Amino acid sequence: MEDTSKYLIHANVTADGVVERSDVVGAIFGQTEGLLGDELDLRDLRQSQKVGRIDVEITSTAGQSHGHLTIATSLDKVETATLAASLETIDRVGPCRADLEVTEIEDVRAAKRKEVVNRAKELLQTGFDDSVMSSEEILAEVRQHVRVEDITEYEGLPAGPRVTDSDAIIVVEGRSDVLTLLKYGVKNAIAVEGTNVPDAVAELTRHRTVTAFLDGDRGGDLIFEELSQVGDIDYVAFAPSGTSVEDLDHHQLFASLRNKVPYDNVSGMNEPREAVAATDGSSTPAPAPGDARRTHGSEAASPTSIDESSSSTAQTASAANAAADATTTGEASTEGGAGSPSGGASSAQSAVSADTQQASGTDAETAVESDDPETVYGHASAVIRDGTDRVRFLDADGGTIDEADASDAYDALESLESTPKTIVLDAILSQRLLDLAADRGVDRIVARSLGQFTKRPTAVRIHAIDDVAEEAPDSG
């Protein structure tokens, strides 16, 4: 009944004597019976649930009783008003003289409407989120979710998923630094979580190629000092002065990693951070062109293997740049083998370090500014011959469109908005990736080696790195 009530009849009752609730209810039913005819008989209306329960509250003081009663009805206005008027004919309650006065007929629906309006006002003020996310914010939130999904633990410390099986690791300060590296695809970082280097990290550094990548502040200096005492560091890199690793964008992060120096170069220095920053690009600048030809003779001697139109000078610069970047590519790789001390990255670092004294300051700055090799062959050398376990997508001019783990090559190619002209893959080329490349309109793939193919699309030229000199494809 309460759910379908339209009106509430409110009335006050006064009796000259002590009466109870049951006396009031009995008087209402007894003295209105037959008064309004069969259609408005109160007992029949109760049975048909057109009238609800009669609620009475009454108290007695000084020999008199005073109370209030309410009756809910689902009758229309006229019927409700008539029923309310009939209540005022009651003049006795039990044995006592009494008076009953209707004070109000409340429209239940109006009260509900008022509640709805008031609640709607509250919801307008507090129920809506006025902020509308931009496309960048939406993508950032999704990326954050993915980064949190990817982060793992090593002996209770925040770490990337490749720390357990990678030959090279990057030691950073905190969890947020690990997340930042994951954001840019670097999955072999582990955090020390404070200036007290955990034993697990110290032990791990004795079995891996280690780059300490620290904040450019006093905290970074303290962690470097303790890590150098309890661990075994191979390379040192710092974020720009006054900044943290977690605050770096893609360019700044990889620039800082490229600027890393061998630990022996700064061990024992009072201000190692300033010494690293003073290199302005690298403590081991790229060798001069003549030295590059001597160090990478086998590569520089084959400029026509990929790009017949490129000059030997351009090829030599490309080989030097590939060597200068080799250790960064290996240790910041999301794959473990790229950072192995016996891998191509370490040999490239040694080769460049050997030529450091012969390279002029101008040559070093020029080498650092040329991040990308100038030719497809240079890209192939940097990605495949240096064992990075990466895939690189190039445009028609030989510039890098994107780069990813070799194991993620298929997904990376599928998600690219623009179609690359060339793919350089440090892995075995699979039928699945070849088919997708043909569907996307890729012209050429250079891979570490070729798999077994049931079909070979004629639109895509494919080469193993060791056979490119015989294939001599165009540079595109």
Side-chain angles (χ1 to χ4, degrees):
M1 178 62 207
E2 284 132 7
D3 293 337
T4 59
S5 298
K6 296 180 181 178
Y7 305 102
L8 282 176
I9 300 173
H10 295 272
N12 291 331
V13 60
T14 304
D16 295 333
V18 177
V19 296
E20 297 180 352
R21 175 188 178 280
S22 58
D23 298 324
V24 176
V25 174
I28 292 173
F29 279 106
Q31 295 180 46
T32 60
E33 185 176 4
L35 180 63
L36 301 177
D38 293 339
E39 292 185 1
L40 291 179
D41 183 76
L42 193 56
R43 294 183 188 277
D44 293 339
L45 292 174
R46 281 283 292 126
Q47 290 178 358
S48 63
Q49 295 188 342
K50 291 183 178 180
V51 172
R53 184 172 179 271
I54 301 174
D55 292 322
V56 179
E57 295 178 359
I58 195 161
T59 59
S60 299
T61 56
Q64 278 197 330
S65 299
H66 303 274
H68 181 80
L69 65 88
T70 58
I71 303 175
T73 84
S74 60
L75 302 171
D76 61 25
K77 285 184 177 181
V78 175
E79 293 170 331
T80 300
T82 302
L83 179 62
S86 71
L87 298 177
E88 294 189 340
T89 65
I90 298 171
D91 57 6
R92 297 190 72 83
V93 174
C96 304
R97 181 181 175 80
D99 180 64
L100 192 147
E101 179 185 5
V102 175
T103 59
E104 178 188 8
I105 298 178
E106 179 184 357
D107 189 332
V108 175
R109 294 167 300 180
K112 289 182 178 179
R113 291 189 195 102
K114 186 175 182 180
E115 291 180 2
V116 169
V117 171
N118 291 336
R119 182 57 179 155
K121 291 178 181 178
E122 293 178 5
L123 292 174
L124 281 173
Q125 294 176 349
T126 62
F128 291 94
D129 184 1
D130 293 333
S131 62
V132 178
M133 297 180 69
S134 65
S135 298
E136 291 79 6
E137 290 170 331
I138 292 173
L139 294 175
E141 186 164 323
V142 174
R143 290 191 186 103
Q144 175 68 20
H145 174 73
V146 172
R147 295 202 304 271
V148 173
E149 289 283 320
D150 282 346
I151 196 167
T152 60
E153 287 189 354
Y154 179 88
E155 299 292 334
L157 299 168
R162 297 307 309 273
V163 165
T164 56
D165 57 8
S166 177
D167 292 332
I169 62 170
I170 299 176
V171 178
V172 293
E173 294 190 23
R175 177 186 177 87
S176 55
D177 298 337
V178 175
L179 289 173
T180 298
L181 288 165
L182 282 172
K183 175 181 178 181
Y184 300 122
V186 181
K187 302 181 181 180
N188 58 337
I190 183 170
V192 296
E193 292 279 79
T195 56
N196 185 17
V197 177
D199 293 338
V201 175
E203 179 64 25
L204 190 63
T205 62
R206 297 185 180 96
H207 308 286
R208 311 291 177 90
T209 301
V210 178
T211 295
F213 187 20
L214 307 171
D215 294 347
D217 55 20
R218 178 59 178 163
D221 295 340
L222 294 174
I223 293 176
F224 169 75
E225 184 176 347
E226 179 167 351
L227 190 59
S228 64
Q229 294 177 10
V230 302
D232 186 1
I233 308 174
D234 297 288
Y235 300 99
V236 183
F238 285 96
S241 181
T243 63
S244 301
V245 172
E246 64 181 286
D247 300 326
L248 303 181
D249 59 26
H250 182 277
H251 173 76
Q252 293 171 324
L253 186 140
F254 283 101
S256 296
L257 285 174
R258 280 197 302 272
N259 291 353
K260 72 178 184 291
V261 300
Y263 169 73
D264 292 342
N265 289 14
V266 294
S267 63
M269 289 186 175
N270 293 328
E271 300 292 343
R273 176 157 47 94
E274 282 71 11
V276 173
T279 62
D280 193 25
S282 176
S283 65
T284 54
D291 298 326
R293 283 193 295 272
R294 182 171 63 252
T295 304
H296 303 282
S298 61
E299 297 174 4
S302 308
T304 58
S305 61
I306 291 290
D307 190 347
E308 293 180 321
S309 63
S310 300
S311 67
S312 59
T313 303
Q315 288 293 344
T316 302
S318 173
N321 287 333
D325 287 343
T327 52
T328 297
T329 306
E331 300 212 16
S333 171
T334 62
E335 303 295 338
S340 172
S342 60
S346 298
S347 62
Q349 177 73 27
S350 301
V352 179
S353 300
D355 292 334
T356 300
Q357 296 180 352
Q358 299 182 29
S360 67
T362 303
D363 293 335
E365 293 174 2
T366 303
V368 171
E369 291 173 0
S370 299
D371 292 337
D372 259 359
E374 296 181 0
T375 65
V376 174
Y377 182 81
H379 284 285
S381 297
V383 174
I384 302 174
R385 294 196 185 281
D386 289 335
T388 64
D389 286 336
R390 303 281 285 176
V391 61
R392 186 174 294 177
F393 304 97
L394 310 178
D395 58 21
D397 298 323
T400 300
I401 299 175
D402 199 5
E403 186 170 330
D405 292 347
S407 59
D408 298 331
Y410 185 93
D411 292 338
L413 175 59
E414 191 176 42
S415 63
L416 283 178
E417 293 183 3
S418 58
T419 300
K421 185 176 181 64
T422 302
I423 298 175
V424 179
L425 175 69
D426 186 21
I428 301 172
L429 177 60
S430 65
Q431 180 75 63
R432 182 168 178 256
L433 180 60
L434 177 58
D435 292 342
L436 178 61
D439 292 340
R440 290 297 307 270
V442 175
D443 288 349
R444 174 176 55 224
I445 302 176
V446 180
R448 185 202 307 154
S449 60
L450 306 181
Q452 297 296 321
F453 305 119
T454 56
K455 58 179 180 178
R456 293 181 63 162
T458 58
V460 184
R461 291 172 290 171
I462 58 177
H463 314 279
I465 185 66
D466 293 332
D467 299 332
V468 290
E470 299 176 8
E471 298 288 347
D474 299 329
S475 66

